[in-house]
Structure formats: structure tokens, C-alpha cells
Amino acid sequence: MIRINEHYLKLQASYLFSDIAKRVAAFQKAHPGKEVIKLGIGDVTRPLPPACIQAFHKAVDEMADGATFRGYGPEQGYDFLREKIAKEDFQARGADVADDEIFVSDGAKCDNGNVQEIFATDITVAIPDPTYPVYLDTNVMAGRTGAFSEGRYGNVVYLECTRATGFIPALPREKVDLIYLCFPNNPTGGTITKAQLKQWVDYARAQKAIILFDAAYETFIRDEALPHSIFEIEGAREVAIEFRSFSKQAGFTGTRCAYTVVPKACTAYTAAGEPRPVHALWLRRHTTKFNGVSYPVQRAAEAVYSPAGRVQCRELIDYYLRNAALIRDEMTALGYDCIGGDHSPYIWVNGKQDSWEFFDRLLEKANVVCTPGVGFGRCGAGYIRISAFNDYEKVQRAMERIRRTLK
Ligand code: MLT
């Protein structure tokens, strides 16, 4: 008899954003004449930067010619892209990362979700609350957690991020092995300083733990004192893996390109305590289960680092940051306590009421979609997340409607 992985039965009915999409679709079906403005899932709306489009077209033309056609590429990504990433995103900031420590992939969501499988199932995982649901759900699927009860899974160390902690998790009191951190944070939009991140690196070194550092939103950082990468912190190479994405920085959510940095020094241990390089495990996993991002997409990603691409990507992020400032100012003027939106596309709003009720109110009365904070964890109860990813005119219209609804 074929049997299922029963850990899946512990999961909540559906993935947060699928759940929201279903509710929004039901609302739209019931009110076909209403314009719904989506500030929910962090999906970009602006077109790809012209430099990326140009490189994309050129690469597609190469695929149309027998002399330049390419079949399978290297699973870890083409050298032309890995070299640019290592040099421009890390070495230029003083972070010691080499080309062959970069693994190009089709998304940070996939990498964040897949990485846990190279670690033992009986380790202790520490996950922020609130959190991007992928970190938690993939550990549930792998069987590392207990059952779900009162908004929490058993056997998980939840790192509470609240107004009282400045939306930064405190170091856990119990011993943990795998730690998820995300900065600039999804969903709160909070940031971490180098000194605070150093405490986590020192903790991981002392505990022989590993930090999974999700930096998918680093391109929104506008304060140069903030770390863009965990590898700007001394000692991180032994204890950290970092995830980056072209999705938000260059509008690639529909094009798919991201990368993961696994330093050769990063070490995990066998049950007998023997050290093993994580790089070799991830290389084995990646080459076995993945066949590489398409050549034209990698050429388009490479163009992000061209002089024109840099200017265009900066303009793209500035565009969304202008939306974020508008959302934050409006919500603050309405009397809501907000964080995020300054180095992040997300504004975390204390709605002072049940998150789903607030979500329904905004959907039904203002026809605006946000994300209920409780969907990111128990500490998100009472909050909503508003995303700045949309066209400025729509954000203006959404905020006018929200103002009328909430006044
Ligand atoms: C979000 O809304 O949290 C993001 O879209 C998630 C993602 O990038 O997968």
C-alpha cells in the first residue's frame, strides 16, 4: 500500500498566499465591477529593466542560431554570471566570496525551501515569528516539527520579533542548530545592524550552528551602515549560507533567477561529530536535482551588473520605495504604528484588531488586498503587511480608499 508523508497533514490547509488569492478571487467573482488593488503578495508590477530585456533578446537570438545555440548549461550557473555576482555583490563590499561558492537557481523561495534537506531531521530549528512561511512549512514537511497547536508547531524554537524586541530576534536560551534570519525582513520590513548580526554569527560559531540568511530584499537598503550580506561580518563564512534573488531587485518574479552562497568553509557535522563541508553537500544536491537556469535568463541577470542595468535597477527600487513611503506616511497619519518601508518594500502595520478582520475590511470596503500578519505567525496577530509592489497611481488610489475606510 502506497503511504503518504504524514508530516504534510500537520500543515495548515493551504499556503498563505494561495489562501489569500482564493479569497480575493471569490470577492472579485461576487463583485465583478470593482477594481481590486493588490498590495498583498510581494509581486513586482514594473517591466524588466531595458538592459535586461536587451540581453535577454540577444541571448534568445543566440539560441536560434546553430553556431551559438546552447543545451544544458552548468547546474550551478554560467561562469559569466557567477563571476559578476561574486565580484560585484560581495568582493566590492569587502565580503570574501568566490565565484564557485555561488549557486544560481530559479528562486530564493526554492533554495530556502530545499536547503533544509541537507541537514539531519532531528536537529533543532529556530525560526522567527513572524516569518516567511516557507522556512517553517518546509521543516514541517521534513518531519522536524511536532503538531500544530495554538498557532505554533511543536519542537520549533520560535524567535519572537515584536515591538518590544525592535523586531529583531533575541538569541535563543536553548541550544539550536539551524537558524533562519531574514534582513531586510519579510514580513516586518525591519533591518539589523552589523553589531547585532555579529552577535548571531558569534552565537552560531559557539553553538556549531548554521545561519540561513535570506537577503532577498538587500537591494532596498538605503543606509550604507547596514549590512547587505552576512559575509560582511567576520567569522560568517564558517557558519552561514546566504540567499539572494533577482526577483525584487530587477523585477524577475516571472522570469526566475536567484542564487545561494555556500562558502567552502561552512561546516556541519556527522552524528559522530566529524566536520563536513556543506558546500559539497549542496553541490551534490544541486547537480542531482536541478538542471540550471536557462541561458537567456542568466544573460538577462548578468545585465543587472552593466552600467545601464545598475542605474535602471536603482530607479526601479526607488520607484517602489516611493510607494512604500506613501503607504507608511498615510497609515501613520491615520494613527497606526508602522515599521518597514524605508529599507524594504513591506510596511508592517499594527492594525489594533484581528488581522483577518482587518484584511476583510480593507478588501470589502476599500477593495485593497493586504496580507494578514497572523498568517506569518502568532506574533503577527493584530498586524497587517502592506506591500509597496504596485504602480504608483494604484498605490495612491489604494491609500485614498483606505483613508476613507479607516477614518
Ligand atoms: C511575499 O509576498 O512574501 C513574497 O512574494 C514571497 C516570495 O517572494 O515568495
Side-chain angles (χ1 to χ4, degrees):
M1 173 178 74
I2 178 68
R3 291 177 48 222
I4 61 165
N5 172 356
E6 292 193 22
H7 299 301
Y8 275 65
L9 302 180
K10 296 179 202 158
L11 291 164
Q12 301 308 286
S14 62
Y15 182 61
L16 174 64
F17 293 108
S18 321
D19 197 11
I20 293 168
K22 264 190 240 143
R23 286 181 186 230
V24 173
F27 178 84
Q28 283 181 306
K29 197 164 170 216
H31 305 89
K34 300 223 163 153
E35 183 217 26
V36 171
I37 301 177
K38 295 184 180 167
L39 304 179
I41 190 165
D43 192 6
V44 297
T45 59
R46 308 297 295 166
L48 293 176
C52 298
I53 287 292
Q54 221 176 355
F56 213 162
H57 277 298
K58 185 166 173 286
V60 170
D61 286 341
E62 286 177 50
M63 297 297 268
D65 181 340
T68 47
F69 170 81
R70 302 191 186 218
Y72 291 127
E75 292 94 341
Q76 310 93 302
Y78 284 101
D79 286 346
F80 62 76
L81 181 56
R82 299 171 88 200
E83 279 163 18
K84 285 268 167 33
I85 291 170
K87 186 159 164 263
E88 308 282 337
D89 285 348
F90 297 97
Q91 292 159 14
R93 292 192 170 274
D96 177 15
V97 169
D99 315 356
D100 59 359
E101 295 174 325
I102 309 285
F103 293 83
V104 176
S105 78
D106 60 348
K109 177 181 181 177
C110 324
D111 289 349
N112 269 300
N114 291 328
V115 70
Q116 49 74 31
E117 74 177 60
I118 62 172
F119 301 108
T121 46
D122 58 353
I123 55 169
T124 305
V125 179
I127 297 183
D129 179 0
T131 189
Y132 179 42
V134 172
Y135 313 149
L136 191 54
D137 287 1
T138 53
N139 278 289
V140 176
M141 291 169 179
R144 282 191 194 90
T145 74
F148 190 74
S149 159
E150 294 176 24
R152 293 261 163 109
Y153 288 97
N155 304 338
V156 173
V157 173
Y158 285 90
L159 305 170
E160 299 203 343
C161 302
T162 60
R163 175 54 82 192
T165 71
F167 297 97
I168 308 267
L171 298 175
R173 285 202 202 93
E174 48 283 81
K175 186 173 169 9
V176 301
D177 306 302
L178 191 63
I179 302 154
Y180 288 78
L181 294 180
C182 171
F183 288 103
N185 187 259
N186 180 12
T188 70
T191 52
I192 193 164
T193 64
K194 283 189 181 166
Q196 288 164 328
L197 193 51
K198 175 87 170 74
Q199 288 182 353
W200 278 99
V201 168
D202 291 346
Y203 171 88
R205 292 177 70 89
Q207 301 284 339
K208 293 192 169 162
I210 283 185
I211 299 171
L212 301 176
F213 190 73
D214 186 352
Y217 299 93
E218 66 81 28
T219 190
F220 286 83
I221 294 173
R222 286 294 179 266
D223 176 351
E224 278 314 302
L226 294 172
H228 286 250
S229 165
I230 195 166
F231 300 117
E232 290 173 40
I233 310 297
E234 198 192 329
R237 281 182 57 80
E238 288 78 18
V239 292
I241 293 175
E242 181 165 312
F243 305 90
R244 293 275 190 106
S245 173
F246 293 96
S247 283
K248 316 290 153 107
Q249 72 153 312
F252 274 52
T253 54
T255 309
R256 312 306 307 149
C257 196
Y259 65 87
T260 289
V261 185
V262 188
K264 296 223 179 85
C266 184
T267 304
Y269 300 83
T270 64
E274 287 165 18
R276 289 279 189 274
V278 172
H279 184 277
L281 301 181
W282 187 246
L283 178 65
R284 187 69 171 87
R285 193 255 169 226
H286 201 71
T287 49
T288 304
K289 295 196 177 183
F290 189 62
N291 250 343
V293 174
S294 79
Y295 173 70
V297 168
Q298 291 194 58
R299 280 294 185 199
E302 182 196 21
V304 164
Y305 301 97
S306 66
R310 281 195 173 287
V311 172
Q312 292 158 10
C313 288
R314 175 88 187 187
E315 285 169 359
L316 191 63
I317 299 305
D318 283 347
Y319 182 95
Y320 292 125
L321 281 172
R322 182 167 72 133
N323 292 351
L326 174 65
I327 296 167
R328 184 169 167 155
D329 289 351
E330 291 278 354
M331 292 308 289
T332 306
L334 284 165
Y336 292 92
D337 182 34
C338 302
I339 79 146
D342 36 8
H343 307 290
S344 142
Y346 299 128
I347 299 92
W348 188 239
V349 182
N350 186 350
K352 298 178 280 191
Q353 62 176 285
D354 178 84
S355 295
W356 280 107
E357 268 171 39
F358 202 3
F359 169 89
D360 286 336
R361 191 166 160 210
L362 292 189
L363 179 60
E364 280 155 28
K365 301 275 187 290
N367 309 146
V368 174
V369 181
C370 66
T371 307
V374 73
F376 297 103
R378 200 160 80 185
C379 290
Y383 282 82
I384 56 162
R385 189 195 75 176
I386 306 182
S387 156
F389 289 115
N390 213 321
D391 299 340
Y392 187 68
E393 296 66 33
K394 286 197 181 170
V395 173
Q396 278 180 314
R397 209 149 60 240
M399 295 319 296
E400 273 164 28
R401 292 191 206 157
I402 289 179
R403 203 183 318 127
R404 277 202 303 274
T405 302
L406 298 180
K407 243 186 174 165

